[in-house]
Amino acid sequence: MQNPMFAGFYERAWRPAFTRLFSLGGEATADVDRELVEHLGRPGERRILDVACGPGNYTARLGERLTGDGCCIGLDFSAPMLRQAVADNSGERVAYVRGDAHRLPFPDDSFDAVVCLAALYLIPDPKVVIAELMRVLQPGGEIAVFTTVRTRLSGLPGVQSVVGLTGLHIFGRHEITRQLQRAGIADVEQTITGQAQYVRAYKPRRGRDQKPR
């Protein structure tokens, strides 16, 4: 991820191909992905944080329809990825910050929505990252994660060992949803498409029912 050549390749070929691979060549994952980005990036004066943004593929799309003081901030640890993001995916309401997803450089309750899309499976300690996403999300705000999920195919003998050599983590079916539920979220939505999962939830409002903004 620190290689400048890989940053350009990742944006144009690797990430799109990987999304297609999650559906084993089909369109299901891409369809859910498109609907999620359209929902999260709907017009409005909201603050969105895109964690492990890479070269900004999602960041730019999430920020392009925001209005007023709305903005989408992409955060990544890789300087080459961020340079690629600034070069290819800048926008009027888009900004990029270098930082560690395990220690987000933002105060509590800073964002209306936080996302980690097609990246959590490469992060060393994903549980800490999810806790950080919840910390910086304001009450009533939305969290969304797109990552791997263990299925019959990925659960076959030997698959985990082979995949582990690449540094890719395959999450258990309930691994992420249960962490969010333990954090106090009662209503967690999980959509599984092929070898991928999309998890969405709202951080409870203090003393009130949780409702989307």
Side-chain angles (χ1 to χ4, degrees), residues 20-26 148-163 168 170-171 173 192-196:
R20 187 72 175 266
L21 181 63
F22 274 131
S23 293
L24 303 178
T148 54
V149 67
R150 189 171 302 130
T151 64
R152 288 185 179 180
L153 177 60
S154 58
L156 290 173
V159 172
Q160 283 281 78
S161 298
V162 173
V163 171
L168 186 75
I170 299 179
F171 290 90
R173 188 181 184 94
I192 295 177
T193 62
Q195 307 304 303

Side-chain angles (χ1 to χ4, degrees), residues 82-164:
L82 291 174
R83 284 195 291 269
Q84 193 74 43
V86 171
D88 294 346
N89 289 304
S90 292
E92 182 181 354
R93 293 182 173 83
V94 171
Y96 294 100
V97 174
R98 189 179 186 202
D100 186 349
H102 302 89
R103 294 182 294 275
L104 294 175
F106 304 105
D108 297 355
D109 306 339
S110 295
F111 295 93
D112 301 296
V114 295
V115 304
C116 185
L117 306 174
L120 195 63
Y121 44 70
L122 292 173
I123 295 178
D125 196 339
K127 289 185 178 180
V128 172
V129 174
I130 293 175
E132 277 291 275
L133 293 176
M134 290 295 296
R135 179 184 67 78
V136 302
L137 180 64
Q138 70 174 17
E142 185 171 11
I143 180 173
V145 174
F146 163 36
T147 191
T148 54
V149 67
R150 189 171 302 130
T151 64
R152 288 185 179 180
L153 177 60
S154 58
L156 290 173
V159 172
Q160 283 281 78
S161 298
V162 173
V163 171

Side-chain angles (χ1 to χ4, degrees), residues 149-209:
V149 67
R150 189 171 302 130
T151 64
R152 288 185 179 180
L153 177 60
S154 58
L156 290 173
V159 172
Q160 283 281 78
S161 298
V162 173
V163 171
L165 295 174
T166 68
L168 186 75
H169 177 73
I170 299 179
F171 290 90
R173 188 181 184 94
H174 305 296
E175 193 172 345
I176 293 175
T177 56
R178 282 176 179 162
Q179 182 177 353
L180 292 173
Q181 289 164 349
R182 284 194 293 269
I185 296 179
D187 186 16
V188 179
E189 177 184 316
Q190 182 188 48
T191 302
I192 295 177
T193 62
Q195 307 304 303
Q197 63 175 320
Y198 289 84
V199 178
R200 293 171 52 190
Y202 291 95
K203 185 174 181 177
R205 294 180 183 275
R206 297 188 180 98
R208 298 171 58 185
D209 293 337

Side-chain angles (χ1 to χ4, degrees), residues 1-11 55 78-84:
M1 295 296 179
Q2 300 294 338
N3 188 313
M5 292 182 64
F6 182 71
F9 173 76
Y10 183 80
E11 176 184 20
S78 167
M81 285 289 185
L82 291 174
R83 284 195 291 269
Q84 193 74 43

